Amino acid sequence: MTRPGNRSPYLTKLPTGVQTFVLLGLALLPLGLVAVFTSVDQASNAREKRYAEVSLLAEIGARHLSQRVSETETAIRSALDDVQIAEDGETTCPQPENMSDSTGPGGLHLTILSEAGGVLCAPAGAAPLTIGAFPAPNMSAISIDEAREAIIVAHGMDGGIAGVATLSRRSLALLPRPALLARNYQIALSSDEQSFIIRAWNEDISDNEILDASSPIGGTGFVLTASFQRRSLTAGEIFSITLPILMWAVAALLGWLAISQLLIRPLTQLRHAVIRHADGEAEFDLPQSRISAIEIQQLAEAFETAFVKLQSHEEQLAVGLAEQTRLTREVHHRVKNNLQIIASLLSLHARAAKSDDSAAAYASIQRRVDALAIVQRNLFAELHKDAGLALRPVIAELASGLQQSAPPTAELGIAIDVDDVRVGQDIAAPVAFLVTELVELAMLCGNRVEIAISVTALADNHARLAIRSPALATASERDEFSRYRRVLTGMARQLQASLDEAETGTLFTIMIPTF
């Protein structure tokens, strides 16, 4: 069994409700993570699908442009085959329908040039074309004319002639496009040195929002690039990603609320009710809750039954304690009365004694009975308290009784200095006998006796009892000293301490335990 002191400090720092919420959250976290990863994967697939659409547009556009360039080259070669140059330099041009195709997208206009740069043939009403570099025989060259915003296709032929045709932006902008991509996009044609926007953006966008895909135009050195606006996550995608997190949080919260209302809250109310009843603030009030667990309700009923029985037992114990106190008081009262009777009998016998020795013996016995009676009387007065017996009134009354019982020929003066200390009955009686023995021993050593009795409280629940008298200096020379020494040693043994002598036998000290 794990003891409360051995529990993990990390768990004891958190309330039970928080611990329950954390444990439920951890238990449901794997399910939430799986759902989140699935939603993120679906969003990633959607992005890959959009990129595939862009790549498809670039590939289709590149094929379409390659086809347009190939068709233009074929038309140029066909027109060049119809060109005839006589010896006198007169040129016979192809038929007009071979020089101009108005049915094509944007129209196709051919111009035949000589290597010297002269225009040999051109469509009626069309502006003549010029090229920078004359193509080699049976070779084609493609360039971009930024001023005309068109692609220039040139093809050379033996005899120093070449055919030149233009592909305008209007003709190139009609690239086939998938219906799914009918949104803001751009198509550009570029080479290492030139670039040409075939289809511009509908709306301006920032560079970090552009998604590009490129496809080369076979055999031309140009690359067609299709650019689309990168679409942010849709509301449905965001909802599909956040929904598992919300479900995880709601599930953990609902589980915590259920446990809190069924177990934790009723247990807390029950604990407060038990504490209030234990402190005596109120009667045990059984907490009522419609939704608390049946086991908690049964536990509360068990507490109520236990408190009823406990209250009954406490009442019986109170009655028994009162009766025991009454009997104890009766016993102490009878002991006190018996000791007083014994002291009175000893006093009568002492007055009727026929010799001084007999009277002294009766008086000695009476002093010890009086000492015990004083302790018993003070103990009876303090019986209702549980703080021990005050030593100051005991020693004061004892000193007064010793002075009164002194022989008529003796002058006895007793000075006391006792701190406010309390001791038990088993300590008070030996102290009283110890003081009585030393005072009586001092009275035997002279007719004029001065005695000082002091009790000094110490810090470790102890006190020092000291009895000083100059008359005790000669006590060891008397025949009765051995008898008094045995009694003093016995009293010290009961106090579980040693009786120390100092100042040449005139001072006796002993340590006594206190409350």
Side-chain angles (χ1 to χ4, degrees):
M1 180 181 295
T2 302
R3 297 182 179 178
N6 296 332
R7 293 178 61 189
S8 172
Y10 300 104
L11 293 178
T12 56
K13 291 180 181 179
L14 296 177
T16 304
V18 177
Q19 296 179 27
T20 303
F21 182 77
V22 171
L23 293 176
L24 287 175
L26 292 176
L28 297 174
L29 183 59
L31 297 178
L33 291 177
V34 170
V36 169
F37 289 151
T38 302
S39 301
V40 172
D41 186 62
Q42 291 177 353
S44 177
N45 291 337
R47 288 194 298 270
E48 292 178 359
K49 181 179 179 181
R50 287 195 292 272
Y51 182 75
E53 293 172 351
V54 176
S55 300
L56 178 62
L57 178 62
E59 183 179 352
I60 293 175
R63 288 202 302 265
H64 177 74
L65 185 57
S66 297
Q67 183 179 356
R68 291 288 293 157
V69 171
S70 178
E71 291 175 352
T72 303
E73 290 176 348
T74 301
I76 292 174
R77 286 195 297 269
S78 177
L80 289 175
D81 290 339
D82 294 338
V83 174
Q84 296 180 5
I85 301 175
E87 292 181 358
D88 57 1
E90 185 179 355
T91 303
T92 302
C93 294
Q95 296 296 323
E97 60 270 14
N98 294 331
M99 296 293 293
S100 178
D101 183 8
S102 59
T103 62
L108 178 61
H109 302 283
L110 297 180
T111 300
I112 297 176
L113 305 176
S114 65
E115 190 172 1
V119 178
L120 299 180
C121 299
L129 296 175
T130 58
I131 58 176
F134 201 82
N138 299 319
M139 297 295 294
S140 297
I142 299 176
S143 61
I144 296 175
D145 189 342
E146 296 181 1
R148 294 176 180 269
E149 295 184 346
I151 297 175
I152 307 300
V153 181
H155 184 78
M157 189 176 180
D158 294 337
I161 63 175
V164 180
T166 61
L167 295 175
S168 65
R169 173 181 290 177
R170 179 168 172 266
S171 66
L172 297 176
L174 296 177
L175 296 175
R177 58 186 180 182
L180 294 176
L181 298 181
R183 56 178 181 268
N184 190 24
Y185 69 94
Q186 173 183 275
I187 297 178
L189 184 67
S190 62
S191 64
D192 294 338
E193 300 176 355
Q194 296 176 307
S195 63
F196 175 51
I197 302 300
I198 298 177
R199 202 268 192 186
W201 294 104
N202 296 334
E203 299 175 1
D204 294 335
I205 62 174
S206 59
D207 293 340
N208 59 352
E209 296 180 349
I210 296 176
L211 183 64
D212 294 328
S214 301
S215 181
I217 308 300
T220 63
F222 284 85
V223 175
L224 186 137
T225 302
S227 301
F228 270 78
Q229 184 177 6
R230 189 189 304 274
R231 191 181 65 179
S232 58
L233 292 175
T234 64
E237 291 173 342
I238 295 176
F239 180 74
S240 64
I241 293 175
T242 57
L243 181 60
I245 300 176
L246 293 176
M247 292 178 62
W248 165 73
V250 170
L253 180 61
L254 290 177
W256 171 75
L257 288 175
I259 294 178
S260 176
Q261 295 298 321
L262 291 174
L263 296 177
I264 298 176
R265 186 180 176 207
L267 282 175
T268 303
Q269 294 175 346
L270 181 60
R271 179 174 64 88
H272 290 329
V274 171
I275 292 175
R276 287 194 300 269
H277 180 72
D279 293 340
E281 298 179 3
E283 294 294 331
F284 181 71
D285 185 14
L286 182 64
Q288 299 292 335
S289 178
R290 295 181 179 179
I291 62 174
S292 62
I294 186 63
E295 291 79 7
I296 302 298
Q297 298 178 7
Q298 293 173 351
L299 179 62
E301 294 173 357
F303 269 113
E304 186 177 22
T305 303
F307 279 132
V308 170
K309 293 182 178 180
L310 181 61
Q311 185 175 4
S312 176
H313 292 166
E314 287 179 350
E315 293 174 354
Q316 295 175 6
L317 288 175
V319 173
L321 181 61
E323 180 64 19
Q324 183 68 28
T325 303
R326 187 188 67 80
L327 294 176
T328 303
R329 286 181 175 274
E330 181 68 20
V331 170
H332 279 283
H333 181 68
R334 296 195 178 200
V335 170
K336 178 175 69 74
N337 291 341
N338 292 336
L339 290 175
Q340 289 177 349
I341 292 174
I342 294 174
S344 299
L345 292 175
L346 290 173
S347 177
L348 291 174
H349 284 287
R351 287 196 295 269
K354 297 180 180 181
S355 64
D356 294 339
D357 292 340
S358 297
Y362 281 120
S364 178
I365 298 173
Q366 183 183 357
R367 292 188 192 98
R368 288 156 181 78
V369 174
D370 286 339
L372 184 59
I374 291 172
V375 173
Q376 191 68 27
R377 186 163 52 252
N378 283 270
L379 182 63
F380 178 74
E382 298 288 337
L383 186 62
H384 63 285
K385 299 180 181 179
D386 192 20
L389 186 64
L391 204 55
R392 182 186 297 170
V394 172
I395 294 181
E397 187 176 354
L398 182 61
S400 176
L402 290 173
Q403 286 179 320
Q404 293 177 4
S405 65
T409 59
E411 296 183 7
L412 178 62
I414 302 177
I416 63 173
D417 182 14
V418 181
D419 290 345
D420 187 14
V421 297
R422 290 180 174 272
V423 297
Q425 180 184 6
D426 54 344
I427 300 298
V431 167
F433 283 126
L434 189 66
V435 172
T436 302
E437 295 293 330
L438 287 174
V439 170
E440 185 174 286
L441 181 61
M443 287 190 298
L444 294 177
C445 297
N447 294 328
R448 186 177 182 83
V449 179
E450 297 292 335
I451 300 176
I453 303 173
S454 65
V455 177
T456 304
L458 303 178
D460 55 348
N461 292 332
H462 280 77
R464 182 175 62 251
L465 171 64
I467 301 174
R468 178 186 286 107
S469 177
L472 294 175
T474 60
S476 59
E477 300 175 359
R478 299 189 63 84
D479 296 336
E480 302 93 337
F481 181 75
S482 59
R483 174 168 55 84
Y484 281 93
R485 168 62 71 181
R486 288 194 299 272
V487 175
L488 293 174
T489 302
M491 295 298 104
R493 188 178 299 111
Q494 290 188 26
L495 294 174
Q496 297 181 355
S498 61
L499 182 64
D500 300 326
E501 297 183 28
E503 299 179 5
T504 319
T506 61
L507 175 63
F508 289 82
T509 60
I510 190 171
M511 303 296 293
I512 59 176
T514 62
F515 283 174

